[in-house]
Amino acid sequence: MAGETRRTAFVTGASQGIGAAIAVALARDGFDVAVSSTRPEKLPEVMASIKSAGARAVGVALDLRSQASIAKAMTEAVSALGSVDVLVNNAAVPLRKPALEITAAEWDTVIDTGLTGTFFMSQQMGRHLVAGKRAGCIISIASTHGLVGLRERSIYGIAKAGVMHMTRTLAIEWAEHGIRVNAIAPGRVDTPSRAASLAEPGFEQAALARIPLGRFGTVDDVAAAACYLASPEAAYITGQTLVLDGGLTAQ
């Protein structure tokens, strides 16, 4: 892209799975990309893939439970990239546990990372864009667990429902600044973190039976949706949650 100013993106929780796929897909679409993890030593592989796509890659440490870490990560990303045009809020902590057994500490970990931290990361992005008088885009990864109830997914579903409502309210507040805010709500996505549940007897067959398209989503499905929402073709879309679930919630 000689002679052109490359767009820039910051993807949180990008060391593997959905976050890594989004980061690499954005790089292939012409973005320079900052990626974060609570364990930055896990970032070199995705950074290498970003560089292989011809983009600049920046790795930063980020713990969404810490306001100081959030501010520092955004400062480092902006310093390295010059500015950030697109923020993808992917980082979250899942929890599968009966509601009667959940502890206060588990509640805090899931909510502080997946909802509170996501809000304040978005706030940092909003402040960056408004101060620079720049248009931009925020995409948060939600979940169908925030749309429909499922046993043993109470806290995670609560956090993701909050993310979807946050998306609507921030879209309204920041539209005047040219900032679009959207979310993606995947159903079950085939990632390494899901391997344990799929190994349970009968689980995979029962889960697939609920999906009209008859397959689980892939990280590439989610990455393609994120690239679309970050693109000029989605310039009139804000405040929306794009559901990627093979028809699960249509029933």
Side-chain angles (χ1 to χ4, degrees):
M1 296 181 67
E4 297 183 24
T5 300
R6 291 179 64 89
R7 297 183 70 197
T8 55
F10 185 1
V11 183
T12 71
S15 64
Q16 61 182 353
I18 289 173
I22 291 173
V24 174
L26 287 170
R28 290 172 179 157
D29 268 8
F31 285 80
D32 290 329
V33 187
V35 289
S36 76
S37 173
T38 55
R39 297 174 59 189
E41 68 272 13
K42 296 176 66 176
L43 292 172
E45 184 175 348
V46 67
M47 291 176 66
S49 296
I50 291 167
K51 292 174 183 176
S52 294
R56 282 190 295 161
V58 177
V60 299
L62 172 61
D63 183 347
L64 287 172
R65 298 169 297 177
S66 164
Q67 293 292 314
S69 180
I70 290 170
K72 184 172 185 287
M74 179 58 78
T75 297
E76 290 178 355
V78 171
S79 177
L81 297 176
S83 63
V84 177
D85 298 308
V86 175
L87 169 67
V88 180
N89 289 310
N90 175 67
V93 175
L95 180 69
R96 181 182 177 188
K97 194 172 186 179
L100 292 176
E101 299 175 10
I102 292 168
T103 67
E106 289 169 332
W107 172 276
D108 289 344
T109 297
V110 174
I111 298 298
D112 288 353
T113 303
L115 183 55
T116 306
T118 296
F119 172 83
F120 285 106
M121 193 73 212
S122 299
Q123 183 189 70
Q124 285 287 330
M125 179 65 169
R127 287 173 173 172
H128 165 65
L129 293 172
V130 171
K133 294 181 169 55
R134 299 171 58 89
C137 173
I138 297 172
I139 303 164
S140 296
I141 305 303
S143 169
T144 53
H145 289 309
L147 292 168
V148 296
L150 189 66
R151 296 173 63 89
E152 300 185 349
R153 299 295 197 283
S154 58
I155 303 180
Y156 187 71
I158 290 165
K160 294 303 187 180
V163 166
M164 286 185 276
H165 190 69
M166 179 191 76
T167 294
R168 291 187 287 268
T169 57
L170 296 185
I172 293 167
E173 285 198 28
W174 295 346
E176 65 188 88
H177 301 291
I179 302 170
R180 297 186 299 107
V181 187
N182 292 294
I184 299 169
R188 176 167 287 273
V189 176
D190 191 6
T191 64
S193 65
R194 301 292 189 267
S197 60
L198 290 178
E200 297 175 13
F203 184 94
E204 181 174 1
Q205 292 78 7
L208 286 171
R210 300 171 59 217
I211 302 172
L213 286 182
R215 70 169 177 89
F216 297 132
T218 68
V219 294
D220 291 335
D221 290 329
V222 185
C227 287
Y228 169 65
L229 289 174
S231 73
E233 287 74 19
Y236 199 53
I237 301 175
T238 195
Q240 304 303 309
T241 295
L242 177 57
V243 180
L244 303 179
D245 67 354
L248 173 69
T249 57
Q251 301 178 86

